[in-house]
Amino acid sequence: MCGIAGILGPDPLDHARLEIATDRMRHRGPDRAGYLSGPPVSLGHRRLAILDLSEAGNQPMQNEDGSIHLVCNGEIYNYHELTRELLAKGHRFSSRSDSEVLLHLYEEWGEQMLNGVNGMFAFLLWDERRNKLLAAVDRFGKKPLYYAASAGRLVLASEMKSLLEFPWVDRTLDHIALDRYLSLRHVPAPFTPFRGVRKLEPATLMVWHAEQITLSRWWRPRPASAPEGNDALESFQCLVEDAVRLRLISDVPVGFYLSGGVDSTTIAALAKKHSASARDALTVGFGNRFDEHEIAGQVAAHLGLTFHSLTVEPDDFALMDRIVWHMDEPLGDMIVLPAFLLAQAAKKHVTVVLTGDGADEILAGYLHQRVMILRQRHEGWLKRPGVAKGLSLLLEHTPVSWLNRAFDYPDRFGTREREKLVEVAVNSGDWAYCYEALTSCFTSMDKLALYTPEFARVSAAEPLAEIYRQQLAEADGFSFLSRLSLLDLRWWIPIIVLYRLDKMAMAHAVETRSPFLDYRVVEAALNLPDNLKLSSREGKEILFRMQRRLLPKPLTMRRKQAFYMPFLERHKAAYQGWVAEMVSRKRVEQRGFFRWQAVAQMQRHATAGSMLANRQLVSLAQLEHWFSIFVP
């Protein structure tokens, strides 16, 4: 795990700046800095030593004759297997580093080098002889890679702030990207908040050659036949266990992020079968009835792990400046705060952490997936004339107190949430618009009330629903449930989960690894029968069956608990103070994007305890905080 940067172009001043740009990522790689100096190409690397701690593992790396150069961020998990294959073909290795295998794969296979790679990575590879630069990211975008191009120059880096060291990078705000942010609570790839900066989408290969840039997708999941029943359980558990085994390979200490939920407990239980040295488990809580300390501690004790717990305190809100700076882009979720604290605590004990992330997306663990399946079962009825309208009217007149009884969160289900349900019902006849209304933080109706006329004009874009519809159609051959998972893998996992994991952990030089996002596990999950993912109980049915094999019954009875930052009384003053500063009337009116009356109404709903209004306020506050740091 590292920070990488590269510049291609004729200007010596650009190449001189690369060292400064690379050093902006010192937190990602505190162990060593390395450079290849051009022109035409310069490469920079900040190393966090994980495998082969010797100088042989330093980067940039070269092939046998010194004509190909590489900087890589991430891990190639199956490098032992690939190394054996390449040695048999006559390649010579100079290190025990996993990254070096990429050099020899390129020598052997050229641009087809990634087909057999199992890993999380972003890399830059410069082929001097062919005058060709390759840049690529892994299948799910676990490792970020930003880039900017202008007038024959190309600059790339693991973090956007490094690109901003180059004065020619266009920092004009991308209003369409900001509109997407308000829907999704993040800016989806390939966009960033700046028009002149883009990020590679998952499974993307960029090639620069003859002053031309081409982008291609190097992997797509494919439908396949799958075993059923106990055979499916055995096969899936073997895959997950092997993914865990590969992610335990490390020359530095390994630990776990552990909640009491099925995802992380399954990973920890499988890991203990393969490693006695992975001993530390960490949990963060909030000091409320949803706190996970007790159950996580019980799991840790059963597995013989050393348990470390921490609680988010009101004073921790003072960290928001650092968090927003490290995130590079606005992220409308307060989960960044406990994630930052968790990585900070982890660094005291370990350098590598295994997590349970990814299971919800691939195994129907989310409420919106289950709602959409319910809608699909009744699609014929919902498409009948007047049904969607009648359903929306029924919800509109349902007392919020009734709805609140089924709302198992610390925050209150109120009129704001009911309005959202009404919009979902209005659109229930069309799955794509229903899905957009269900999953968006700010729906199209919210935006009509929020946007100023000028911002509405400059941010107008194709509805997300139409993009969802097209992408679902392209996933032909998978069940509807699996296609919903593919939407989550495209629109949710890369930024909200993986970029947050990467940037909050790398702020403290900690590497996170997610076995459920091993591509073999993902492909197997997508091809599982629906009844092994979604049961009458809840999602992740196959995972619960696995957990019951690995842990005693008292530790397997817990219902799903989202990793969610509640707005509690003890945090209220600190939270509201931060929001009041970021979303003040003066700031809102000076920015000119939003109507103050709509923001003030949102604040009133939030004060009354509305979860949705608080989520929307957090999105606005995070955006304004980002402006204050990155847009002078």
Side-chain angles (χ1 to χ4, degrees):
M1 188 76 85
C2 309
I4 63 173
I7 179 74
L8 185 154
D11 189 346
L13 291 177
D14 282 340
H15 293 268
R17 287 189 186 98
L18 185 76
E19 187 169 339
I20 299 171
T22 305
D23 199 54
R24 293 284 270 175
M25 300 180 289
R26 178 185 293 267
H27 51 278
R28 297 184 71 92
D31 296 331
R32 188 186 182 276
Y35 302 96
L36 169 73
S37 297
V41 167
S42 293
L43 301 175
H45 186 263
R46 292 294 322 191
R47 186 182 185 197
L48 175 63
I50 303 288
L51 289 167
D52 189 353
L53 308 185
S54 74
E55 290 187 2
N58 292 339
Q59 299 185 35
M61 288 182 166
Q62 292 76 39
N63 66 333
E64 295 96 326
D65 64 9
S67 65
I68 304 172
H69 308 269
L70 171 80
V71 287
C72 178
N73 169 30
E75 305 291 344
I76 310 303
Y77 296 123
N78 63 334
Y79 78 103
H80 283 310
E81 171 191 342
L82 295 171
T83 298
R84 286 194 297 270
E85 294 175 3
L86 290 161
L87 286 170
K89 292 177 179 290
H91 292 265
R92 299 191 309 275
F93 284 72
S94 61
S95 77
R96 295 185 297 105
S97 167
D98 60 301
S99 296
E100 188 182 355
V101 76
L102 295 172
L103 286 167
H104 302 288
L105 286 170
Y106 174 72
E107 288 181 306
E108 190 68 31
W109 302 108
E111 293 175 22
Q112 305 304 311
M113 61 185 284
L114 294 174
N115 293 335
V117 172
N118 185 353
M120 58 173 185
F121 55 82
F123 69 79
L124 305 176
L125 185 149
W126 170 236
D127 184 338
E128 286 184 14
R129 290 179 177 172
R130 295 178 176 85
N131 197 38
K132 181 187 292 187
L133 179 73
L134 273 64
V137 295
D138 61 72
R139 293 170 177 83
F140 305 110
K142 299 170 190 174
K143 298 294 105 189
L145 192 60
Y146 296 87
Y147 67 96
S150 176
R153 295 174 292 196
L154 173 65
V155 61
L156 309 97
S158 298
E159 297 194 358
M160 186 172 68
K161 61 180 70 67
S162 294
L163 270 59
L164 302 182
E165 293 295 328
F166 297 84
W168 51 266
V169 172
D170 181 6
R171 305 179 198 196
T172 305
L173 287 175
D174 187 330
H175 296 104
I176 292 176
L178 298 181
D179 174 78
R180 295 294 194 232
Y181 165 79
L182 291 164
S183 294
L184 301 166
R185 295 188 288 156
H186 69 266
V187 178
F191 302 103
T192 77
F194 295 122
R195 287 184 191 173
V197 179
R198 290 294 179 256
K199 51 185 180 267
L200 287 187
E201 295 184 73
T204 295
L205 172 69
M206 170 192 283
V207 178
W208 180 95
H209 182 60
E211 299 186 0
Q212 298 292 321
I213 293 174
T214 59
L215 298 171
S216 60
R217 186 163 183 182
W218 61 269
W219 173 81
R220 295 177 189 275
R222 302 295 181 190
S225 58
E228 298 185 1
N230 285 332
D231 289 341
L233 177 59
E234 291 290 345
S235 174
F236 190 72
Q237 181 166 331
C238 284
L239 277 177
V240 176
E241 187 165 341
D242 191 58
V244 170
R245 179 187 62 81
L246 289 176
R247 283 156 183 79
L248 289 168
I249 299 172
S250 172
D251 293 334
V252 295
V254 178
F256 309 96
Y257 285 167
L258 182 66
S259 70
V262 63
D263 311 345
S264 61
T265 58
T266 298
I267 295 301
L270 288 171
K272 290 305 294 181
K273 294 173 65 176
H274 294 276
S275 173
S277 61
R279 294 187 295 267
D280 292 276
L282 297 102
T283 297
V284 63
F286 308 102
N288 68 329
R289 69 185 178 91
F290 289 82
D291 199 290
E292 299 181 314
H293 288 166
E294 183 178 355
I295 184 67
Q298 293 171 6
V299 172
H302 174 76
L303 295 175
L305 300 172
T306 303
F307 184 58
H308 312 277
S309 64
L310 61 149
T311 300
V312 178
E313 301 294 345
D315 290 347
D316 293 327
F317 281 84
L319 295 168
M320 289 307 299
D321 265 350
R322 289 177 61 192
I323 288 170
V324 173
W325 185 84
H326 279 292
M327 277 304 306
D328 264 344
E329 301 182 65
L331 190 80
D333 195 331
M334 282 308 299
I335 208 63
V336 293
L337 177 54
F340 185 87
L341 294 170
L342 200 55
Q344 186 178 58
K347 189 60 180 178
K348 299 174 184 177
H349 309 283
V350 298
T351 302
V352 174
V353 174
L354 270 60
T355 83
D357 292 282
D360 284 316
E361 288 77 10
I362 65 174
L363 295 172
Y366 286 131
L367 176 62
H368 71 262
Q369 295 166 325
R370 300 194 291 277
V371 170
M372 290 304 298
I373 287 296
L374 182 64
R375 182 223 158 263
Q376 187 76 358
R377 290 172 182 164
H378 300 284
E379 183 174 48
W381 175 69
L382 289 167
K383 283 186 171 182
R384 292 179 182 177
V387 170
K389 178 65 175 176
L391 184 59
S392 67
L393 287 172
L394 178 64
L395 286 169
E396 190 174 346
H397 292 90
T398 300
V400 292
S401 59
W402 293 9
L403 298 172
N404 202 42
R405 291 173 188 170
F407 193 63
D408 194 22
Y409 270 91
D411 299 295
R412 190 178 64 82
F413 197 110
T415 57
R416 193 85 174 178
E417 288 77 12
R418 183 173 62 186
E419 289 167 4
K420 183 179 181 71
L421 284 181
V422 168
E423 188 168 353
V424 170
V426 166
N427 289 284
S428 59
D430 183 313
W431 81 261
Y433 282 90
C434 180
Y435 183 83
E436 180 180 357
L438 182 64
T439 58
S440 292
C441 182
F442 287 90
T443 66
S444 57
M445 294 301 294
D446 293 327
K447 293 175 182 178
L448 282 175
L450 179 67
Y451 288 4
T452 61
E454 176 60 16
F455 187 68
R457 183 185 69 80
V458 298
S459 64
E462 180 182 13
L464 281 170
E466 295 304 330
I467 301 174
Y468 296 152
R469 192 189 311 282
Q470 177 184 345
Q471 291 181 351
L472 203 82
E474 292 171 355
D476 188 40
F478 290 106
S479 71
F480 183 72
L481 180 59
S482 289
R483 285 185 281 172
L484 291 175
S485 289
L486 285 169
L487 287 180
D488 281 334
L489 288 168
R490 168 63 181 83
W491 292 94
W492 182 259
I493 271 282
I495 313 297
I496 282 283
V497 177
L498 296 177
Y499 272 35
R500 181 252 303 166
L501 268 178
D502 173 87
K503 293 182 179 182
M504 294 298 90
M506 290 306 290
H508 306 285
V510 171
E511 175 174 289
T512 55
R513 301 176 176 181
S514 304
F516 287 118
L517 291 174
D518 184 304
Y519 80 97
R520 302 167 302 162
V521 174
V522 172
E523 288 181 334
L526 292 172
N527 287 291
L528 282 173
D530 285 357
N531 67 340
L532 288 178
K533 293 182 280 189
L534 189 61
S535 69
S536 57
R537 176 186 180 186
E538 54 183 295
K540 300 188 287 194
E541 171 63 24
I542 195 168
L543 205 52
F544 281 105
R545 295 186 190 183
M546 285 172 54
Q547 187 193 44
R548 288 195 290 271
R549 289 176 159 195
L550 298 165
L551 294 168
K553 188 173 182 180
L555 299 179
T556 65
M557 302 301 291
R558 190 167 178 269
R559 293 179 59 199
K560 173 179 170 57
Q561 169 62 48
F563 187 26
Y564 160 71
M565 172 76 185
F567 300 101
L568 306 173
E569 190 65 36
R570 61 193 297 266
H571 298 131
K572 185 173 291 185
Y575 162 68
Q576 290 181 342
W578 172 68
V579 169
E581 179 186 358
M582 292 298 141
V583 195
S584 67
R585 180 167 189 165
K586 180 180 179 181
R587 283 183 184 249
V588 169
E589 292 181 344
Q590 284 180 342
R591 191 67 59 194
F593 293 168
F594 310 128
R595 303 175 195 263
W596 170 248
Q597 294 87 344
V599 175
Q601 185 184 45
M602 200 182 306
Q603 290 176 337
R604 289 191 291 271
H605 282 293
T607 302
S610 165
M611 178 185 176
L612 177 58
N614 274 302
R615 179 171 289 181
Q616 291 174 332
L617 270 182
V618 164
S619 296
L620 297 184
Q622 293 276 28
L623 179 61
E624 182 58 36
H625 207 148
W626 180 85
F627 283 139
S628 72
I629 293 173
F630 288 95
V631 185

